[in-house]
Amino acid sequence: QSIVTWLQKKAGPPAILLADVAAAEAFERENQLVVVGLFDEGTSRTAFETAARQVEDVMFAYSTVALVIAKFNTQVPALKMFFPHDEKVATFSGDVQSVADMERFVKSYRHPLVISFDGDTAPEIFGDGRPILLLFRDKDDKGKAAEEQFRTAAPGFGRKLLVSIAGSSEPMDQRLMDYVSVEPEELPTVRVLTNPMASMTKYRLQGGGDITEASVAEFVKDFEVGKLEPHMKSEQPPASQHGPVFVLVGSTFQKVVKDPAKDVLVEFYAPWCGHCKKLEPVYKEVAKKLESVGTIIVAKIDATANDVEGADIEGFPTIKLWRASNKDEPLDYDGDRDVDGFLTWLEDKVAHPFSRLEVARAEL
């Protein structure tokens, strides 16, 4: 259906005119997801048509005809959306000159109230824009009970969040668990995710008891009023540092990296990453050469076992420099991945200057 809708909208106008009640009834009958804009003659439809172009899997129509407006039983200007799930119909009575508001309304109703996570829905879930409320559960008795309570709570959130349920047995489920830092022994468990496509922040429903409608509702309420602390996974800090590369974990990251006296270079790696393994001897040699420079720390962190707030990690290895002079805007390393490339790049970028000649002398 979404492919047919996309083709129809590409081939024709973004929104079609409903000239009479029969046309309106046929439009509803022939399309699964529809938005009808109801306007008087003096109201501009430019923003409405822009929104219609941007939401490609929903059919849009409009009317200024009194009998058609009467059929939909609403005051103009307004939008009526019809869909095959849950509430079946929703009304937008907000600002019809705001593309963002109308688009947000349509996107919040185009999916069921609770969406199952899988390979097909993942792009829609992560690209939706709303905070994501996720239940991870097995299909055992405890998981089924948690899902029932979770689904009961969902209507109370007024579609302000995208609500989804994930399992643990399929490869996509396991990839999601790794990405969100959920361990199998935690199930069933609930998370809220914000900005999942960028610098994701995660919040965890605390407490070891059963997941209930009340506990989920309170969790969401606390999230909405800003009472929750982000959930950050961390390994135990090493008892001592061995070797020239400083080993960071989630709980020590901020203290070390945000030290205003130091320029800190950090490699975010994954133990299974072939490129990381290839880089390891080079990175270690860079750290060794810079041991005599007291203002530079060369560090690494296992990004699969530790969470770091505010660091956008899109692949492995990711290497960033937190300059002593600007801790809020780390630089992405874009030099050559050999020893000379690292030293040349650092010499140019660090806040505290160092001399390659002095580094060479210190090695003698």
Side-chain angles (χ1 to χ4, degrees):
Q1 178 66 43
S2 61
I3 294 174
V4 172
T5 301
W6 182 84
L7 288 170
Q8 289 176 328
K9 294 182 75 172
K10 290 296 182 184
I16 64 174
L17 170 65
L18 302 179
D20 52 38
V21 171
E25 291 174 344
F27 179 71
E28 286 184 62
R29 185 172 59 250
E30 294 168 4
N31 299 283
Q32 286 190 345
L33 291 171
V34 301
V35 173
V36 179
L38 304 166
F39 304 94
D40 54 40
E41 290 289 355
T43 300
S44 170
R45 297 188 300 275
T46 301
F48 174 75
E49 292 177 356
T50 299
R53 289 189 186 95
Q54 293 180 182
V55 184
E56 295 182 335
D57 59 349
V58 178
M59 287 296 292
F60 281 67
Y62 71 93
S63 186
T64 58
V65 177
L67 287 175
V68 175
I69 293 170
K71 164 186 160 47
F72 290 107
N73 191 30
T74 190
Q75 297 292 317
V76 296
L79 274 57
K80 281 279 190 178
M81 183 169 179
F82 299 88
F83 38 89
H85 43 262
D86 303 315
E87 305 96 326
K88 307 295 185 183
V89 61
T91 302
F92 175 81
S93 301
D95 184 2
V96 297
Q97 303 307 318
S98 171
V99 174
D101 287 355
M102 288 187 288
E103 187 175 354
R104 191 177 302 113
F105 163 76
V106 173
K107 285 184 174 181
S108 69
Y109 283 97
R110 66 178 173 176
H111 295 299
L113 195 61
V114 180
I115 309 172
S116 295
F117 178 88
D118 57 34
D120 293 330
T121 60
E124 292 289 343
I125 290 171
F126 279 86
D128 181 83
R130 288 175 289 169
I132 303 169
L133 179 68
L134 263 169
L135 168 68
F136 293 86
R137 53 90 179 99
D138 290 319
K139 293 185 178 179
D140 55 10
D141 289 344
K142 191 172 183 180
K144 290 176 182 177
E147 179 175 342
E148 182 179 352
Q149 293 292 309
F150 188 77
R151 287 185 178 275
T152 302
F157 307 140
R159 291 185 178 264
K160 295 177 182 177
L161 300 88
L162 186 149
V163 182
S164 183
I165 296 175
S168 63
S169 58
E170 297 298 324
M172 279 298 293
D173 295 329
Q174 293 164 4
R175 287 177 63 185
L176 179 64
M177 289 173 66
D178 287 342
Y179 186 60
V180 181
S181 306
V182 171
E183 300 297 332
E185 56 268 21
E186 293 182 71
L187 273 56
T189 187
V190 177
R191 298 286 192 276
V192 166
L193 313 178
T194 61
N195 300 318
M197 302 291 282
S199 299
M200 179 172 61
T201 303
K202 298 167 285 188
Y203 303 89
R204 178 187 178 190
L205 175 61
Q206 300 293 338
D210 293 336
I211 292 171
T212 66
E213 177 185 358
S215 68
V216 175
E218 184 177 3
F219 175 57
V220 170
K221 181 180 178 181
D222 287 346
F223 165 73
E224 291 178 335
V225 299
K227 287 178 63 176
L228 300 179
E229 292 292 329
H231 174 62
M232 309 296 287
K233 181 173 69 171
S234 178
E235 296 178 293
Q236 287 295 319
S240 59
Q241 295 288 338
H242 300 286
V245 179
F246 192 97
V247 178
L248 294 167
V249 298
S251 61
T252 63
F253 185 88
Q254 295 294 331
K255 181 179 179 180
V256 175
V257 170
K258 297 300 180 72
D259 183 347
K262 305 286 187 180
D263 293 298
V264 185
L265 184 71
V266 182
E267 177 201 4
F268 297 85
Y269 73 94
W272 45 258
C273 168
H275 294 295
C276 302
K277 293 175 182 178
K278 183 179 179 180
L279 179 66
E280 185 175 3
V282 172
Y283 199 70
K284 186 175 181 179
E285 182 66 20
V286 171
K288 188 174 181 180
K289 285 183 175 293
L290 292 172
E291 279 183 312
S292 63
V293 182
T295 56
I296 296 179
I297 295 176
V298 178
K300 66 178 181 179
I301 185 168
D302 181 351
T304 67
N306 298 277
D307 291 330
V308 175
E309 187 176 5
D312 187 9
I313 311 302
E314 296 183 353
F316 301 115
T318 290
I319 304 167
K320 294 178 179 285
L321 173 67
W322 274 264
R323 295 162 292 171
S325 59
N326 188 347
K327 294 297 183 179
D328 294 330
E329 297 179 353
L331 301 178
D332 290 313
Y333 180 77
D334 57 2
D336 294 332
R337 292 191 177 183
D338 55 37
V339 174
D340 187 67
F342 272 101
L343 294 176
T344 300
W345 188 87
L346 285 168
E347 190 176 21
D348 179 58
K349 303 296 185 182
V350 294
H352 296 298
F354 70 94
S355 166
R356 292 282 296 276
L357 181 59
E358 292 175 6
V359 169
R361 285 174 181 169
E363 292 185 278
L364 297 177

